[in-house]
Amino acid sequence: MSALSKPAASERRLSGGILFLLAGLAALGALATNIILPAFPRIGASLGVSSQELGLSLSSFFVAFAFGQLLAGTLSDGFGRKWLVLGGLAVFAAGSVLCAFADTLSFLIVGRVIQALGACAASVLSRAIARDLFDGDALARALALTMIAAAAAPGFSPLLGTALDALFGWRITFVVVAAFGAVLALHYARRIGETHPTGRRTSLAASAVASAYGRLAVDPRFLLPALSVSLVIGGLYTFFAAAPAVLMSGLGLTAFELGLSFATTVLIVFAAGFLAPRLADRWGQRTVGMIGLFIALAGSLFMFAFAAAPTFMAFTIAIALYLLGMGLINPLGTAIALHPFGRQAGLASALLGFLQMGCAAIGASFASVLPLQPSASLAVILTAGSALALLVFVPVAMRQPEAEVQA
């Protein structure tokens, strides 16, 4: 669209229409997961499986999400964003409908994998489209505001899932997320359109793609900030996966109370999202990213201190600190990782998404197999992940910003 290409990327403003698209695409995976968490007991009873077995529907989603992004990002750099966005949303809607009709755990897992393959395209392209349209500090602001808006869907979706489950049964939740995917597709087709012009597209030859991924994977300008963000985001998804066991089984919350707990986390993410670009304007993206990682580590250590005998208040304070730190490092670390690679925004975003979902899959798997109570397992994973993220980000904080790679 010519209207979107006229202003310089560093000067373009984030309109409501673009924000809705970016936030919706970014939130789709978390929305599809969080909306069903309060219904886990009923889903398990309906399918005749335990909650632990039902956890396979989460880990399989994360694995498919991780690997699917590598293909989606590559194809979008070669063919453009439009058909990957629309195709991904169509696949997501189809997978959601399959989940709604699932009568066995295997059927549900197949539907969740198809959901993930569609949602991963949406997620990776939300970052790629943001990089197409914005640059520098404008990109950091766009990602921060996108994160704020995107947090509303996964934050409030457990409440919506609880209400839908109580009124109509758990299957209707999958129909609702399918409808949301259709709305996003319609909005994109009518209001946004292609953002990756032909002149910026890259070769899709297998050797060229493999070489490009290989260069990115060893380029510290990308790898270090991307890995830092991924470790923290992986901890967030591990929290999502562990929340029913920790809060419902461990601390006795009802499904409605679990939904309220998730909804309050939105306020923390909102605050962090508003703070991140303002603090970055004053102290720089790298400095504020380091502060965010220190805060996330503080929250993890606080949870670890109370892991043996957790209380709802202590757990809430720990998660609030972790989310505040995550809300600072996520948009800023992502902007730092993507900024030098404008011509390969789809591929870089795909590899970033792969790292994030890979960390999520590892974290969720460890949370289910560690011989500890759920709250202790979560505390160990968050502490280890945030400490490693901080260590990895130190060289990034010490490095000066660099220009975009043009070839």
Side-chain angles (χ1 to χ4, degrees):
M1 292 180 63
S2 59
L4 295 177
S5 58
K6 286 181 180 178
S10 59
E11 299 173 353
R12 190 175 289 120
R13 296 180 63 85
L14 184 64
S15 68
I18 296 175
L19 178 60
F20 173 76
L21 174 73
L22 296 179
L25 294 177
L28 201 60
L31 169 65
T33 295
N34 288 15
I35 198 170
I36 64 172
L37 292 180
F40 256 37
R42 291 199 186 191
I43 296 175
S46 176
L47 301 182
V49 297
S50 67
S51 294
Q52 186 174 7
E53 291 174 305
L54 197 58
L56 291 173
S57 69
L58 297 179
S59 57
S60 61
F61 184 94
F62 293 152
V63 171
F65 201 109
F67 284 97
Q69 289 181 97
L70 297 178
L71 180 61
T74 301
L75 292 177
S76 77
D77 278 344
F79 292 118
R81 317 299 185 208
K82 182 177 180 179
W83 296 112
L84 268 295
V85 171
L86 296 177
L89 292 172
V91 170
F92 173 79
S96 301
V97 172
L98 284 177
C99 290
F101 287 97
D103 55 0
T104 64
L105 177 60
S106 298
F107 197 159
L108 179 65
I109 289 175
V110 170
R112 288 285 287 168
V113 168
I114 295 173
Q115 258 194 330
L117 293 175
C120 75
S123 178
V124 70
L125 292 176
S126 71
R127 294 185 294 269
I129 292 170
R131 182 60 188 88
D132 291 341
L133 299 177
F134 303 100
D135 193 10
D137 290 339
L139 174 61
R141 287 193 296 271
L143 289 170
L145 290 174
T146 297
M147 184 192 69
I148 293 171
F156 288 108
S157 58
L159 280 177
L160 176 61
T162 299
L164 291 172
D165 179 36
L167 293 173
F168 306 107
W170 60 268
R171 298 179 188 277
I172 198 67
T173 59
F174 290 106
V175 177
V176 169
V177 295
F180 180 68
V183 169
L184 276 179
L186 185 62
H187 173 71
Y188 174 79
R190 288 187 173 183
R191 299 289 300 276
I192 308 298
E194 185 58 68
T195 60
H196 190 52
T198 303
R200 292 178 68 89
R201 296 179 189 176
T202 58
S203 171
L204 287 178
S207 59
V209 171
S211 177
Y213 270 127
R215 288 194 301 271
L216 267 181
V218 298
D219 192 327
R221 294 171 302 170
F222 171 82
L223 181 61
L224 296 181
L227 186 56
S228 298
V229 171
S230 298
L231 287 164
V232 177
I233 295 297
L236 175 68
Y237 276 96
T238 302
F239 162 64
F240 289 160
V246 174
L247 295 176
M248 296 177 72
S249 301
L251 297 178
L253 270 64
T254 65
F256 178 72
E257 289 169 338
L258 176 67
L260 283 179
S261 178
F262 270 79
T264 58
T265 65
V266 174
L267 300 177
I268 306 297
V269 179
F270 277 12
F274 279 115
L275 282 173
R278 289 161 175 78
L279 294 177
D281 285 342
R282 182 170 183 177
W283 292 319
Q285 295 179 5
R286 288 162 170 77
T287 300
V288 178
M290 281 290 291
I291 293 172
L293 289 170
F294 272 115
I295 295 173
L297 179 58
S300 303
L301 290 171
F302 189 80
M303 181 183 295
F304 191 82
F306 289 91
T311 65
F312 178 71
M313 182 59 68
F315 185 83
T316 300
I317 292 172
I319 284 298
L321 286 172
Y322 187 86
L323 290 173
L324 178 60
M326 182 276 297
L328 294 177
I329 183 59
N330 182 26
L332 301 180
T334 299
I336 293 168
L338 297 184
H339 176 259
F341 306 99
R343 288 178 63 103
Q344 299 172 308
L347 187 143
S349 180
L351 189 54
L352 174 61
F354 173 81
L355 290 172
Q356 290 181 0
M357 287 301 105
C359 289
I362 292 171
S365 298
F366 271 105
S368 63
V369 301
L370 286 177
L372 303 169
Q373 60 178 332
S375 59
S377 295
L378 180 60
V380 169
I381 292 166
L382 294 189
T383 301
S386 54
L388 182 56
L390 180 61
L391 181 64
V392 169
F393 197 76
V394 169
V396 180
M398 299 174 64
R399 191 178 67 233
Q400 292 299 316
E402 297 185 42
E404 175 183 330
V405 172
Q406 295 298 334

